[in-house]
Amino acid sequence: MKIGFIGLGLMGRGMAANLLGSGNPLVVHDLRPASAAPLLEQGATWAETPAQVAASSDIVFTSLPRPADVEAVMQGAHGLAAGFNEGCVWFDLSTNSLAVVRAIHARLAEIRVHFFDAPVSGGPAGAASGKLAIWIGGDRAVFESAEPVLRHMADRARYVGAIGAGTISKLVHNTMSATINHAVAEMMTVGVKAGMDPLELYEAIRSGAMGRIRAFDHVQSRWLVDNLDPPTFALELLHKDVSLGVELARMVDAPAPLANAMLDDLTEAVNRGWGRRDAQSALLLKQERAGIAAIKVSPDELKQVVGRT
């Protein structure tokens, strides 16, 4: 099985390395050729254009920042669509727009290329370790034929429905996750301003009903210890994901006031120039509006609290 991979950023490089470890030939491309160097040293082949990747591959994976980047990789004389052979399979691992996903699927169906929306969840560490979720939408029979390849880079590659189902799953997940983080930061800020020590408060809420299912734990490694640079997931990317989630809600005429309010905070944080900081930097707005200093607890003391509760 000949595999192509485009997009060797924080997520893509780990997934591509795992695919290379499967023993299948791998051809790669990125706007920054230097990002491919470690993979080339391990036996991957470089392609000058996306079209060359498509022409050399049975299955192509793309991992790109924005919907516009996915469209750009597909289009033009050197794009994927110009190089695909009939029957090829393309899994887009990006967090995309539902409208874009459906348009690409329709376009490629005309040339008998199988397109899947297959966004991932697990962060750079999961991409490198293979502890990754992939939500996949498209033709089920084709998915099942490609599943052995997917298993080399994800322990949870799940078929979730027809084209677009993967994107819907990812946008719901990321928007819901970000909204929970904002609720945690907002009420933690209220508690600190009311006189609680942040570490004592965090230990208290983790022992409650919601805390026991660990709904509050995502703020531990970044916001709660004031560790926002460099990012594990950039604010500008979360802003993109939540914007797409809110767009999805509008598309299907489903009110989402909490998500809209949270998007307003993300937009304000991006407008302040925090886009390249960690996504949780937007939570700093909670303390600022409450008129209190940044909440910061000791990582070592936090570990002790987590161990007790």
Side-chain angles (χ1 to χ4, degrees):
M1 184 73 73
K2 294 176 289 184
I3 303 173
F5 204 104
I6 299 175
L8 304 173
L10 288 175
M11 294 293 294
R13 70 184 63 157
M15 292 185 283
N18 287 331
L19 288 170
L20 185 60
S22 72
N24 294 298
L26 180 70
V27 58
V28 298
H29 176 78
D30 192 275
L31 289 176
R32 298 162 296 178
S35 64
L39 293 166
L40 299 181
E41 291 172 1
Q42 297 172 50
T45 303
W46 174 255
E48 291 294 334
T49 66
Q52 289 181 12
V53 173
S56 304
S57 305
D58 301 307
I59 298 180
V60 171
F61 294 93
T62 51
S63 178
L64 302 165
R66 295 174 176 81
D69 300 315
V70 180
E71 292 180 297
V73 158
M74 179 188 70
Q75 297 169 347
H78 302 293
L80 283 171
F84 276 129
N85 298 305
E86 185 177 320
C88 280
V89 179
W90 174 12
F91 286 91
D92 179 38
L93 307 168
S94 317
T95 301
N96 211 326
S97 154
L98 184 59
V100 169
V101 161
R102 288 175 172 168
I104 292 176
H105 179 265
R107 160 83 186 278
L108 294 183
E110 296 174 357
I111 57 174
R112 298 187 180 181
V113 170
H114 305 286
F115 177 73
F116 292 84
D117 59 319
V120 303
S121 181
S129 69
K131 294 186 181 300
L132 200 66
I134 310 181
W135 297 300
I136 300 162
D139 184 283
R140 183 161 201 150
V142 178
F143 158 76
E144 289 174 352
S145 69
E147 190 173 9
V149 174
L150 294 165
R151 295 295 178 190
H152 285 290
M153 65 177 183
D155 60 347
R156 296 185 181 181
R158 178 182 177 85
Y159 178 81
V160 294
I163 193 69
T167 295
I168 293 169
S169 299
K170 178 64 183 289
L171 296 181
V172 168
H173 174 276
N174 276 26
T175 304
M176 186 164 49
S177 174
T179 303
I180 290 170
N181 285 344
H182 276 249
V184 171
E186 183 172 293
M187 293 314 298
M188 281 278 297
T189 298
V190 170
V192 170
K193 188 167 187 181
M196 284 281 293
D197 173 81
L199 190 61
E200 294 287 347
L201 176 59
Y202 190 64
E203 183 170 13
I205 66 172
R206 285 185 91 248
S207 65
M210 284 296 290
R212 291 188 186 210
I213 63 172
R214 300 303 177 238
F216 307 147
D217 280 13
H218 198 224
V219 300
Q220 281 181 22
S221 62
R222 308 300 285 187
W223 171 74
L224 194 54
V225 293
D226 197 23
N227 174 30
L228 300 170
D229 303 288
T232 52
F233 184 58
L235 172 64
E236 61 186 5
L237 294 179
L238 181 62
H239 182 269
K240 179 264 297 184
D241 289 1
V242 174
S243 296
L244 292 172
V246 169
E247 176 187 293
L248 175 64
R250 290 173 183 156
M251 182 187 302
V252 299
D253 194 25
L258 295 178
N260 276 277
M262 190 261 298
L263 178 58
D264 288 343
D265 275 3
L266 296 179
T267 301
E268 180 177 343
V270 167
N271 289 341
R272 292 193 183 200
W274 299 352
R276 298 295 178 88
R277 303 191 76 188
D278 192 82
Q280 292 189 22
S281 62
L283 304 182
L284 297 175
L285 297 172
K286 309 298 183 184
Q287 298 99 272
E288 181 181 306
R289 292 167 183 162
I292 64 173
I295 292 173
K296 182 175 183 178
V297 304
S298 161
D300 291 336
E301 291 179 347
L302 179 60
K303 287 180 182 177
Q304 295 176 19
V305 164
V306 171
R308 289 196 298 265
T309 56

